[in-house]
Amino acid sequence: MSDATEIAKPRASVFAGLRLTWTATIAGSVLLFWLVLALFGPWIAPHGEAEIISGTTFAPVGEGGLLGTDKLGRDVFSRLIYGVRTTLLLALITTVISFAFGVTLGFAAANLKGWFDIVVSRIVEAFMAFPSTLLALVVIGAFGTSITVLVLTVGLVLSTSVFRVSRALGYDIGVMDFVEAARARGEGTWWILTREILPNSMAPLIAEFGLRFTFSILFLSGLSFLGLGVQEPAADWGLMVQENVGGLFLGSSAALIPAACIASLTVSMNLLVDWFQQRQQGETVLEKIDQ
Amino acid sequence: MNDILTIKNLRVEGRPPGGSYVPIVKGVSLNVAKGEVLALIGESGSGKSTISLASMGFARPGCRIAGGEIWLNGRDIMKLSPHERHALRGDEVSYVAQSAAASFNPALRIGKQVIEAPLWHGAGDAATLTATAVDLYRKLDLPNPDTVGDKFPHQVSGGQLQRLMAAMAMSCGPDLLILDEPTTALDVTTQIEVLKAFKDIIRDQGTAAIYVTHDLAVVAQVADRILVLKNGEMVEEGPTAQILNDPKHEYTRSLMDAVRPAPHLVDHVDGSAAQAPVISARNITAGYGALTILSDVSVDVPAASVVGVIGESGCGKSTLARVVAGLTPLREGEIKLDGKVAAPGVKDRPRDTLKDCQIVFQMADTALNPRQRIGDILGRPLEFYQGLKGRARLDKVGELLELVDLPRSFASRFPGELSGGQKQRINLARALAADPKVILCDEVTSALDTVVAAGVIELLKSLKDKLGVAYMFISHDLSTVASFADEVVVLYAGRVVEKGPSKAVFSPPFHPYTKLLLSSVPEMRQGWLEGVADTGEAKAASAGSVIIGAKGCPFANRCTHVIAGTCDRVTPPLRDLPGELSVACHLDTDALPST
Ligand SMILES: Nc1ncnc2c1ncn2[C@@H]1O[C@H](COP(=O)(O)OP(=O)(O)OP(=O)(O)O)[C@@H](O)[C@H]1O
Ligand code: SF4
Ligand SMILES: [Mg+2]
């Protein structure tokens, strides 16, 4: 287009601008639902997190609490509501940690190149070659099961893939002409990283954030299930599955409900990331057409 | 009727990011008969490629065919199922894209990829198909037709790859061949062989063809009929001779006027009186990693003048600009900016030195950070070099925008909201923001339409007069360089083969390579191609390819005048000829090509 002036039209509404697909709408609603529960949980939950409400353990759905009781007679419904807080918060913290590590090192490696890049890349590869659960088992085994150790370990494990994505982005964007132009002007490394490269890596990094967040939920739940994660009496979905797995044979759904919740969270997050990536891709393809 | 393709009232719509569908092609009708070449011409954005894709029943992502009929071989392909339509491609229709390199899989041997489509369509077994392919290679004049199929894509030259791409397209014996700017990415010297090969094979096989291009001189060589497009609408249609010699429509006439005359016909700038050089590069040797690209290159850019740098793709033009700017450190030699020796690396140069020499890149699109507003893009160098802030900075941004003939309101836009020509103006404005003594312009007009490019050149000229800035103007467009530059440097394989005032370089005596370059620039005359493709020079040139770092004269493997035993052993030094001209050739002065 020789005169591409009309691209920036005001959008009809925020939602029209987002161009939500129906999968994205459902996934978004599910996530929003869990988020609201996490924020207002203590005021919504009918019972306390560790409160024993019934003498009957593994009470079925509808009897003694909305969703039954667990192995100690606690209210599954209330624990579920408290659990979403722990699960989401821990996943958020670990993902943020992994991004702080991964993006800094990845961009630094792409920009500094040379021995720094080689050394960091080899270390990261060594970490990746190690099964992540095994790694976590070793570290947590050595340092004990505290929340700090847990969060740092998972953050570290996640940061390896964030590093690889950021390093690739840093390399790709780092050779583009506008970065060269900044270099030719005499700009320092800090400016180039924060003003030229980072803003242009946002879209893929956001998608990566979503994926790492999902992975973190699964990983943390897995660790909790192994007894290495969140400890009782705190509520956590992974932990709830582990606690109540024995109830499965008694016909209790106390283990299945948190499992389904984990699935709903991760599937929704993945759908949303898919939507975001497709939308991003759609835009770039269209930008090419407009030339 | 023996029309292979008939398109009636075609409408295609596209959706810009976040917007709704807007028409791209607005009711175009056309037809192509057997053995006929129809050229689609028009500026970029006029819908040429969109129409050519639609004739295969295909729309790019984000676009849709909104209406009309597309009849191929007597069937309306819009009524076919997607699967049936898919089966047409590579069988009845095939497509040759602008960049062959992007269409070949680098990991597979060429021959295998050439016969892939017919094999898939079940046109025969691998052995017979390979035999047909070898036959095609021979018709396309490819060197070593029997073995070229065993090579990998990176082992052949760009021009050869483009011809192999044609072989791939022809391998299934299509009824309709679509060529989308197939020579635009090639050098003029390579373009000749490819054009000739395309033309011959189309004639030979009686294929109908659609040829998309913006280069009218190329159209004059290959097309039987021309369809002129503007903003998705048909402006004029007619036989090639009529459109070229007697265009009826105003717009067609304006397109014709924008065509630049051949380099030796333009009015040359008379070299201004010798000024102190702002750039003085002495005996530069530079490269990437173990690769040496530039060897012993010396170039001076006098203050307030234009030095043109020409040469084929890959000869090191951009590398030279990068070395001067300090982006690629030099290995040997010395660069003086405004009389002071400059450090090889940009990191070691003080801001004052950096400020004096600015670089503008080839691709306007990628040279602007898409996430920064124009105001910030222009404001940053003001702040960086001159410490301007706030109000002062804002005012200066407005002045810069006006200087490059853009409205002040553009400051709040993002680069994505500008057209190619406007982006290139912003690029220039960013360089001007530093208040430099010299600007390195690396192919600043190559990605632009002729009309838009002409505007940018005019702007460069007026800035030179107004601000007294000098340019190192890198381009492979000889006509532009000839009319714009005071002095010209001809690079070949990383060496200077000729340099001097523009007038002297573009008139005899020539260096044999300069001669080849000049005679390869297409002329708007039908039949020019046949005349030039048969000359000994063109044949010798297409036989070899550029070898960087060769012993002796770098041009020896493609030169008709080669002196055996001398040229391939001894590198000819630059020697001075009368009229400030320097030539690097072993030939005696009166033996140099003179027509
Ligand atoms: N970063 C790089 N690493 C290695 N080789 C490179 C690099 N950049 C360019 N080259 C090589 O250096 C040679 C000269 O490249 P250069 O970009 O200077 O050519 P050019 O004359 O500007 O070509 P064009 O007209 O296509 O822009 C080419 O062979 C190219 O492949
Ligand atoms: S030196 Fe020899 S090979 Fe090189 S251009 Fe001159 S005649 Fe040709
Ligand atoms: Mg270049």
Side-chain angles (χ1 to χ4, degrees):
Chain A
M1 239 181 256
S2 52
D3 240 290
T5 45
E6 340 102 79
I7 291 173
K9 273 185 204 132
R11 281 160 177 178
S13 80
V14 180
F15 289 107
L18 284 175
R19 278 192 278 115
L20 285 169
T21 55
W22 63 271
T23 41
T25 316
I26 295 175
S29 317
V30 171
L31 286 180
L32 203 65
F33 171 73
W34 287 125
L35 206 63
V36 169
L37 271 194
L39 283 177
F40 302 107
W43 294 277
I44 299 173
H47 302 283
E49 190 173 13
E51 189 185 331
I52 294 173
I53 58 153
S54 151
T56 335
T57 57
F58 292 132
V61 174
E63 286 170 37
L66 204 55
L67 294 176
T69 60
D70 71 353
K71 68 165 184 185
L72 296 176
R74 294 173 296 196
D75 181 22
V76 171
F77 181 58
S78 303
R79 275 183 75 74
L80 212 54
I81 293 175
Y82 278 97
V84 70
R85 293 193 120 190
T86 332
T87 306
L88 283 182
L89 191 67
L90 283 184
L92 189 69
I93 295 174
T94 48
T95 319
V96 167
I97 291 176
S98 72
F99 266 69
F101 273 132
V103 174
T104 314
L105 283 178
F107 280 179
N111 197 60
L112 298 174
K113 304 196 172 81
W115 64 265
F116 183 83
D117 182 22
I118 295 173
V119 170
V120 179
S121 297
R122 289 303 154 286
I123 294 177
V124 167
E125 274 160 27
F127 266 108
M128 292 189 100
F130 220 61
S132 44
T133 321
L134 210 61
L135 192 71
L137 275 173
V138 172
V139 176
I140 296 170
F143 294 96
T145 50
S146 77
I147 289 289
T148 325
V149 173
L150 181 70
V151 161
L152 286 178
T153 315
V154 176
L156 190 73
V157 167
L158 295 181
S159 67
T160 52
S161 105
V162 178
F163 167 83
R164 297 228 305 188
V165 171
S166 334
R167 180 175 169 274
L169 280 170
Y171 262 103
D172 283 356
I173 300 173
V175 296
M176 292 182 75
D177 284 349
F178 62 86
V179 183
E180 286 285 1
R183 252 180 227 134
R185 195 190 308 141
E187 298 284 5
T189 309
W190 181 247
W191 172 279
I192 290 181
L193 285 185
T194 55
R195 302 301 184 88
E196 310 282 349
I197 298 184
L198 189 61
N200 288 289
S201 342
M202 272 338 258
L205 284 183
I206 289 173
E208 179 68 13
F209 193 92
L211 291 177
R212 283 315 113 207
F213 189 77
T214 314
F215 186 77
S216 173
I217 293 173
L218 289 174
F219 195 45
L220 281 165
S221 304
L223 288 179
S224 293
F225 184 79
L226 291 176
L228 295 170
V230 179
Q231 299 297 315
E232 284 197 75
D236 172 86
W237 289 353
L239 182 65
M240 287 174 71
V241 178
Q242 185 245 349
E243 287 167 349
N244 300 318
V245 97
L248 278 179
F249 309 102
L250 307 170
S252 157
S253 52
L256 294 181
I257 294 170
C261 291
I262 295 173
S264 81
L265 205 57
T266 51
V267 169
S268 301
M269 199 69 201
N270 264 321
L271 286 175
L272 217 57
V273 169
D274 276 353
W275 161 79
F276 180 77
Q277 280 178 327
Q278 245 157 32
R279 182 168 168 272
Q280 246 12 68
Q281 206 167 34
E283 306 236 318
T284 44
V285 169
L286 276 161
E287 274 160 22
K288 281 187 198 132
I289 290 165
D290 272 323
Q291 34 174 270
Chain B
M1 281 247 290
N2 56 355
D3 280 351
I4 300 284
L5 176 78
T6 310
I7 293 183
K8 286 182 195 152
N9 206 16
L10 176 72
R11 286 184 300 117
V12 184
E13 296 178 341
R15 195 179 56 188
S20 50
Y21 279 99
V22 288
I24 300 179
V25 175
K26 305 157 187 165
V28 169
S29 305
L30 59 85
N31 64 304
V32 193
K34 194 166 159 42
E36 186 185 41
V37 181
L38 173 74
L40 301 181
I41 63 170
E43 292 171 54
S44 77
S46 57
K48 305 183 295 279
S49 299
T50 314
I51 295 178
S52 66
L53 286 171
S55 49
M56 302 191 290
F58 183 72
R60 280 178 282 201
C63 295
R64 63 174 182 207
I65 298 178
E69 294 166 25
I70 302 161
W71 293 83
L72 180 71
N73 277 334
R75 268 177 306 166
D76 185 353
I77 60 172
M78 289 319 292
K79 298 222 168 70
L80 299 180
S81 69
H83 183 76
E84 288 170 311
R85 223 178 297 152
H86 183 78
L88 289 179
R89 292 174 209 150
D91 185 13
E92 288 174 46
V93 205
S94 35
Y95 186 77
V96 179
Q98 181 163 345
S99 162
S103 304
F104 275 97
N105 180 340
L108 294 178
R109 290 182 199 279
I110 291 166
K112 207 170 162 186
Q113 302 187 52
V114 168
I115 61 167
E116 189 183 333
L119 205 59
W120 189 82
H121 286 289
D125 60 285
T128 43
L129 288 172
T130 305
T132 329
V134 169
D135 207 35
L136 272 172
Y137 301 152
R138 197 161 287 128
K139 280 185 193 143
L140 286 164
D141 245 343
L142 281 158
N144 314 322
D146 295 315
T147 52
V148 72
D150 296 332
K151 294 193 177 179
F152 287 99
H154 69 269
Q155 293 172 319
V156 300
S157 78
Q160 290 167 358
L161 201 60
Q162 199 70 22
R163 279 183 281 166
L164 285 161
M165 176 88 192
M168 180 146 90
M170 298 301 292
S171 63
C172 50
D175 301 310
L176 176 67
L177 183 64
I178 297 166
L179 302 142
D180 192 349
E181 307 256 15
T183 62
T184 308
L186 302 176
D187 284 303
V188 277
T189 45
T190 327
Q191 176 168 279
I192 292 182
E193 42 172 306
V194 177
L195 279 182
K196 185 80 171 58
F198 281 171
K199 195 169 177 180
D200 290 348
I201 200 128
I202 289 171
R203 184 150 308 154
D204 200 66
Q205 314 266 337
T207 318
I210 292 184
Y211 197 103
V212 176
T213 181
H214 65 263
D215 189 336
L216 286 165
V218 166
V219 167
Q221 311 314 317
V222 293
D224 298 311
R225 261 185 320 130
I226 299 181
L227 183 78
V228 186
L229 291 162
K230 186 187 185 191
N231 295 332
E233 278 168 294
M234 197 179 97
V235 171
E236 186 172 355
E237 196 205 331
T240 305
Q242 180 250 309
I243 299 273
L244 292 181
N245 304 324
D246 182 23
K248 298 275 183 281
H249 195 279
E250 191 62 35
Y251 178 69
T252 317
R253 241 170 280 150
S254 77
L255 276 184
M256 297 293 159
D257 291 343
V259 175
R260 287 175 294 262
H264 56 279
L265 299 176
V266 302
D267 301 327
H268 294 289
V269 189
D270 276 323
S272 41
Q275 300 251 21
V278 270
I279 298 177
S280 169
R282 292 270 142 262
N283 313 95
I284 304 289
T285 299
Y288 305 93
L291 213 65
T292 303
I293 306 293
L294 297 175
S295 346
D296 201 20
V297 172
S298 299
V299 177
D300 279 339
V301 180
S305 68
V306 183
V307 173
V309 178
I310 56 178
E312 276 167 272
S313 170
C315 69
K317 304 186 294 294
S318 301
T319 309
L320 179 59
R322 293 176 56 88
V323 169
V324 172
L327 289 170
T328 300
L330 52 83
R331 298 223 186 102
E332 284 164 40
E334 181 185 74
I335 291 173
K336 277 189 188 160
L337 293 174
D338 205 21
K340 299 181 289 276
V341 177
V346 72
K347 286 206 172 80
D348 307 318
R349 295 187 182 178
R351 276 189 199 187
D352 281 347
T353 313
L354 291 169
K355 171 187 129 357
D356 281 342
C357 172
Q358 294 288 309
I359 184 165
V360 177
F361 291 98
Q362 177 164 0
M363 303 302 291
D365 285 335
T366 54
L368 300 174
N369 186 337
R371 308 276 162 187
Q372 287 178 359
R373 289 181 195 279
I374 304 300
D376 294 326
I377 291 175
L378 298 182
R380 179 60 189 170
L382 292 172
E383 192 179 317
F384 189 79
Y385 293 123
Q386 295 165 27
L388 291 186
K389 291 226 163 62
R391 209 44 269 153
R393 189 179 113 155
L394 215 63
D395 286 343
K396 191 76 210 236
V397 167
E399 276 175 39
L400 282 170
L401 283 170
E402 275 173 11
L403 199 60
V404 294
D405 300 329
L406 293 175
R408 278 175 182 250
S409 61
F410 270 33
S412 60
R413 293 201 186 181
F414 283 103
E417 299 165 31
L418 305 183
S419 72
Q422 290 168 339
K423 279 185 205 154
Q424 201 56 287
R425 280 164 197 265
I426 298 293
N427 263 327
L428 269 176
R430 175 172 59 188
L432 291 169
D435 192 16
K437 297 220 164 66
V438 59
I439 302 180
L440 312 169
C441 301
D442 187 359
E443 310 255 14
V444 289
T445 55
S446 309
L448 305 175
D449 277 308
T450 31
V451 183
V452 182
V456 171
I457 296 288
E458 276 315 307
L459 174 67
L460 285 173
K461 279 184 190 156
S462 84
L463 289 173
K464 186 183 109 171
D465 296 340
K466 234 185 278 179
L467 309 171
V469 49
Y471 302 111
M472 179 153 136
F473 188 82
I474 296 172
S475 180
H476 63 254
D477 181 349
L478 300 187
S479 302
T480 308
V481 171
S483 64
F484 181 43
D486 303 300
E487 285 177 34
V488 175
V489 177
V490 186
L491 278 186
Y492 184 82
R495 286 179 183 274
V496 176
V497 295
E498 180 168 7
K499 70 177 174 184
S502 172
K503 197 170 191 163
V505 170
F506 288 114
S507 50
F510 299 110
H511 183 278
Y513 175 65
T514 315
K515 171 79 200 334
L516 171 72
L517 266 185
L518 283 173
S519 58
S520 307
V521 178
E523 289 172 27
M524 277 265 286
R525 179 161 58 76
Q526 281 181 288
W528 168 83
L529 178 65
E530 281 71 15
V532 76
D534 288 336
T535 58
E537 270 149 13
K539 288 206 170 120
S542 67
S545 59
V546 187
I547 304 169
I548 286 190
K551 206 161 143 255
C553 173
F555 192 50
N557 63 334
R558 300 170 70 192
C559 182
T560 38
H561 303 275
V562 61
I563 311 165
T566 309
C567 293
D568 46 2
R569 297 239 175 85
V570 189
T571 309
L574 261 185
R575 71 168 197 274
D576 292 336
L577 264 50
E580 296 174 57
L581 190 68
S582 311
V583 170
C585 178
H586 287 303
L587 292 178
D588 289 336
T589 308
D590 28 333
L592 286 172
S594 59
T595 42

